[in-house]
Amino acid sequence: MNASTFVSMAFPATAMAAIGFAFGRAYFAALRRSVELLAMRRGAFVPAALTLARVALATTVFLIAARLGATALLAMLAGFLAARTVAVRIRRSTA
């Protein structure tokens, strides 16, 4: 691998990691909202709809990343997991 190959792979990977992080933040915000709605015991339709939407969107986003290649998929997963870490730390600090 030479320098130009590294640079040509680094930018898309960084972009996919950022997309994964942004998607992860939205995903875990929706998850938190679903849990809050379930805890209020006002019905299960909205939390179920949020869950289905989250799963469908996650499947779509990760399938698109997989079609872009292994590097894109792994970078997006890394960003998503970083967002999970942030969400857990935020939740622990407020609990």
Side-chain angles (χ1 to χ4, degrees), residues 36-55:
E36 289 171 350
L37 290 170
L38 281 171
M40 287 191 277
R41 298 180 186 255
R42 292 189 181 174
F45 177 75
V46 174
L50 275 174
T51 300
L52 287 174
R54 264 193 350 264
V55 170

Side-chain angles (χ1 to χ4, degrees), residues 6 8-9 20 23-25 29 34 38 41 45 47 54 58-59 64-65 68 71 73 77-78 83-84 86 90 93:
F6 176 75
S8 68
M9 288 178 63
F23 174 68
R25 293 288 290 156
S34 293
L38 281 171
R41 298 180 186 255
F45 177 75
R54 264 193 350 264
T59 302
I64 291 169
L68 293 174
T71 304
L73 179 61
L77 180 61
R84 179 190 174 276
V86 169
I90 289 172
S93 69

Side-chain angles (χ1 to χ4, degrees), residues 1 5-18 20 62 64-79:
M1 176 184 295
T5 304
F6 176 75
V7 170
S8 68
M9 288 178 63
F11 178 72
T14 304
M16 291 305 286
F62 281 105
I64 291 169
R67 292 183 64 87
L68 293 174
T71 304
L73 179 61
L74 290 174
M76 180 168 276
L77 180 61

